[in-house]
Amino acid sequence: MDLFSRRYIAAMQACLTQLDYDPGIIDRREGVFTREMINRLPLPSASTADALPHQRDVEAACGTPGADIKSKMVCIELPFDLRID
């Protein structure tokens, strides 16, 4: 497993912990607990790339977030340039 994959798994484990799921110890390894918690996430199933709206279209597709969602929203400043191709 390459370093990127291990970092990705650690990030997923940290996110699961923040969402009150229990992926087990954040050890950068995809074990039984991590896989089980990922499978339990209520994610939309996307059969095509167009199944999910672009960020600019989320409000039109999903509506304005309520106060409970707004209180959980955060903005982060990354210490590097992010490029999504």
Side-chain angles (χ1 to χ4, degrees), residues 76 78 80-85:
I76 60 171
L78 299 174
F80 51 84
D81 291 333
L82 180 63
R83 179 179 169 187
I84 301 175
D85 293 328

Side-chain angles (χ1 to χ4, degrees), residues 19-46:
L19 292 169
D20 292 327
Y21 288 86
D22 181 14
I25 298 170
I26 299 176
D27 58 0
R28 304 184 318 164
R29 299 187 187 282
E30 185 180 344
V32 175
F33 289 117
T34 301
R35 175 54 40 204
E36 181 67 26
M37 292 302 110
I38 290 171
N39 289 337
R40 289 186 186 185
L41 281 175
L43 298 175
S45 61

Side-chain angles (χ1 to χ4, degrees), residues 8-21 23-24 26:
Y8 175 77
I9 292 169
M12 281 296 296
Q13 290 171 328
C15 289
L16 286 165
T17 300
Q18 289 293 316
L19 292 169
D20 292 327
Y21 288 86
I26 299 176

